[in-house]
Amino acid sequence: MTALAGWSRRDMADRVAADIPEGWAVNLGIGLPTLIANFVPIEREVMFHSENGILGVGPLPPAGQENPWLINAGKQPITLRPGAAIVGQADSFAIIRGGHLDLCVLGGYQVGANGDLANWSTGRAGEAPAVGGAMDLGAGAKRVWVLMEHAARDGTPRLVERCTYPLTALGTVSRVYTDIAVIDVTPDGFVLREAAPGISIEQIAARMGAPLSPIRD
Amino acid sequence: MIDKFVPSIEAALDGIGDGATIMVGGFGAVGQPHLLVDALGERGLRHLTIIANNAGGDFGGLPKLIAQGAITKVICSYPRATSKTAFDTLYAEGRIDLELVPQGTLAERIRAAGAGVPAFFTPTAAGTELAAGKEVRTIDGRACVLEYALSADFALIEAWEADRWGNLTYNAAGRNFNPIMATAAGVTIALAHHRRDLGTLAPETIVTPGLFVQRVFIAGGSA
């Protein structure tokens, strides 16, 4: 299956950012989801949460102005925005597990048509698994969106009927943003919400392991 | 007179022996008491259990302890580093045990130990490999996993300011696991960066009250 020229990684992050309204408390997973914050203007007051106890993550610091005591979940230097607060790990995960986050955007290996998420382990033997806060976020946030490439590099679909990788959380994903589409996960399975410019629903569906319903009016 | 300041790192680590279970504060390298962990590596210890969110990371003194074979088991949420570490090697050879715990469950287990809650149910990890073998109960329609409180013999933590009662403040994101670990260990040993006279820390800014802290070593040794 040939690769399609859809959205770039920056476009993907920008596309998610456009759907985050002012006032939400949002956790961004490590990797690609971290980029989303760069596309939410500081005037749109979104509270970005970092699992290590920060509510109100601000823009990246200019080179040379990093504070070694301020990092995000990916251990990268960050700043605080006006209004930021810092808590300890138990309170930070009370924010996550207590249902106080409006949204969490995670990376993924696979998303099932039933909303299951696999994003923490490939199950390879002899390799130490690491989970971090992924299971807490998957189980605790009010909404879980996934931002990932539509298919693996070898073309293997990542939107599938049922995940085959070890699960992170069950029935939790409500929307997936990929390089070629925005797809809702509904009780009826995957439903197309938006196709990237120049991409057809047939092309999107051909790169999935589960049925895709057309955009609903 | 209550005075928890100790004059040396040796005095701070007094009594930590083979087989001890030790919590180490920090998220990544931030808030980890590197001086204490480094000094622990000089003691030739064996059979330690380390509870630290990023045990297996590639920073601070833990990699050295692991490479020495001092650590039998780590309990953590994220043992992975960007580069291959001594932990990866020992793990692949089956020479170190890993109890992988979702980070929020790890924090809550520690908090529960300090708060006298012996166990709790949580939806986190329900239906996943990390719930294998654990009791599951449906509560309010959701599958929940039984998790037990997690305590330790010692906690090594990093604080920003300390007074002689052991009252502590933290700097920026250096707080993370430190306050809860202080509540969950038999002996809590704090590395602090600034010594303050008793009564000069504003009570409402103290995050860890001194009753949770047994020893304080001031970085730079000015105690």
Side-chain angles (χ1 to χ4, degrees), chain A residues 3-9 12 147-151 177-181 196-197 199:
Chain A
L4 298 173
W7 286 308
S8 69
R9 286 166 64 85
M12 291 164 71
L147 176 60
M148 65 179 189
E149 301 292 334
H150 197 82
Y177 294 79
T178 79
D179 51 313
I180 56 172
I199 309 287

Side-chain angles (χ1 to χ4, degrees), chain A residues 17 21 28 30 54 62 83 93 101 111 114-115 117 121 134 166-167 169 175-176 192 198 216:
Chain A
L28 302 176
I30 60 177
I54 298 164
F93 277 83
L101 290 178
V111 173
N114 58 352
L117 170 64
S121 168
L167 294 176
R175 193 179 292 167
V176 184
L192 184 63
R216 290 173 177 168

Side-chain angles (χ1 to χ4, degrees), chain A residues 51-52 68-69 71-73 75 86-90 93 97 120 126-133 135-136 139 166-168 170, chain B residues 27-28 30 54 77-80 87 91-92 100 102-105 122 124-126 128-130 142 158 171-173 175-177:
Chain A
E51 66 188 16
N52 52 324
W69 290 85
I71 58 170
N72 63 14
K75 325 290 191 299
I86 294 179
V87 296
Q89 218 74 6
F93 277 83
R97 291 152 65 106
W120 70 282
E127 191 174 285
V131 66
M135 289 191 182
D136 307 287
L167 294 176
T168 304
L170 281 62
Chain B
F27 180 93
V30 177
N54 301 98
S77 85
Y78 207 86
R80 199 175 293 158
F87 175 84
Y91 181 83
L100 191 71
Q103 192 175 163
T105 296
T122 175
T124 294
T128 76
E129 286 180 4
L130 296 190
R142 290 190 85 180
E158 182 177 51
N171 186 34
R175 190 180 312 188
N176 56 66
F177 281 89

Side-chain angles (χ1 to χ4, degrees), chain B residues 40 52 71 140 150 182 184:
Chain B
L40 202 60
I71 299 174
D140 289 339
L150 186 61

